[in-house]
Amino acid sequence: MKKEEMKTAELYTLEHTMAKSLLEQFEYPWQALEHIGEFVENLGKTLSEEEYDNPVPGVWIHRTAKVAPTAGIMGPVVIGPGAEIRHCAFIRGKVLIGANSVVGNSSELKNSILFDNVQVPHYNYVGDSILGYKSHMGAGSITSNVKSDKELVKIHAEDEEIETGRKKVGAMIGDHVEVGCGSVLNPGTVIGKNSNIYPLSSVRGGVNANSIYKRQGEIAEKHND
């Protein structure tokens, strides 16, 4: 995956997120990570009191969203219309959850943006990541956001290594991506639109749009009938 293909405009349809005004400021999506918390806090203050509950400071929940009483939510968080936060989900702050998205049982989120219609429904960890429209993470799949050597994360494009200047960078997942069960997306992974990741994969670097990732070094072009 080349550097040009990792740009925000190539990965995401920004009309499908309340974070459009944030993301369109940045050439690459990981550049927005350090601004998510402030953005969510300011966004929440602009939301209609008729449409959103504000049960505690820094937490805004659309009145059509369903939140299990066992879910743990720490602000700043905005939960959009029709979203579903299930049993024992843990939202650790600096999170925007789009319309009709699902955060499932025992899933954990922090410093992340979920576009509309995103599903992280079973035992997922999503940290310092941006998940595009209608993306889906299979049971037990996670975004790893810190390198084992604790060095700053680099984005590995085919034509250049890009310094992020951040210790924590998860995955940038494009629109309509399917991540198979039990997969690990290593720090700084970028997955292009409409791609599939096989179950139990360990993904590093970039995966081109419209691809099927089978294992490291084996990526097939995806054909849509």
Side-chain angles (χ1 to χ4, degrees):
M1 191 177 198
K2 294 183 178 179
K3 182 178 177 181
E4 184 74 18
E5 298 167 322
M6 294 179 170
K7 291 184 176 181
T8 302
E10 295 297 318
L11 295 171
Y12 304 110
T13 305
L14 297 183
E15 283 66 33
H16 292 300
T17 178
M18 288 188 285
K20 177 181 178 181
S21 62
L22 172 65
L23 294 174
E24 65 187 1
Q25 299 177 47
F26 300 103
E27 187 174 19
Y28 298 101
W30 54 85
Q31 295 171 326
L33 292 175
E34 66 181 281
H35 305 283
I36 292 175
E38 181 183 6
F39 176 81
V40 171
E41 185 78 42
N42 291 333
L43 173 64
K45 294 174 181 177
T46 70
L47 297 173
S48 166
E49 293 182 4
E50 295 181 357
E51 295 182 22
Y52 283 82
D53 288 323
N54 182 207
V56 296
V59 175
W60 293 269
I61 303 173
H62 197 277
R63 295 181 187 273
T64 61
K66 297 179 181 179
V67 179
T70 52
I73 301 176
M74 301 167 59
V77 170
V78 170
I79 298 173
E84 185 176 355
I85 313 301
R86 294 176 178 166
H87 176 65
C88 289
F90 184 26
I91 301 171
R92 287 172 46 202
K94 301 182 181 180
V95 173
L96 173 59
I97 298 172
N100 304 309
S101 291
V102 175
V103 181
N105 59 299
S106 304
S107 291
E108 179 179 347
L109 277 64
K110 57 85 68 173
N111 197 49
S112 294
I113 295 171
L114 274 58
F115 277 51
D116 299 341
N117 296 90
V118 169
Q119 294 188 341
V120 286
H122 311 287
Y123 308 103
N124 305 112
Y125 174 69
V126 178
D128 301 282
S129 298
I130 300 175
L131 277 58
Y133 178 60
K134 286 191 174 181
S135 59
H136 172 264
M137 296 187 70
S141 60
I142 67 168
T143 66
S144 175
N145 60 339
V146 180
K147 295 176 63 179
S148 59
D149 60 10
K150 306 301 188 291
E151 295 293 325
L152 299 181
V153 176
K154 297 179 182 180
I155 307 296
H156 299 285
E158 289 179 9
D159 47 350
E160 186 178 348
E161 280 197 344
I162 308 168
E163 301 279 355
T164 68
R166 290 180 58 86
K167 182 179 176 181
K168 294 185 177 182
V169 179
M172 306 296 116
I173 300 177
D175 296 344
H176 298 279
V177 167
E178 290 281 342
V179 179
C181 296
S183 294
V184 176
L185 309 182
N186 285 277
T189 294
V190 182
I191 303 176
K193 289 181 177 179
N194 306 310
S195 290
N196 286 47
I197 307 299
Y198 265 28
L200 301 177
S201 295
S202 176
V203 186
R204 288 180 171 83
V207 177
N208 290 338
N210 305 301
S211 296
I212 300 174
Y213 182 100
K214 299 181 178 181
R215 58 183 63 85
Q216 192 72 34
E218 186 177 352
I219 303 175
E221 183 178 354
K222 184 177 177 183
H223 299 284
N224 295 315
D225 296 329

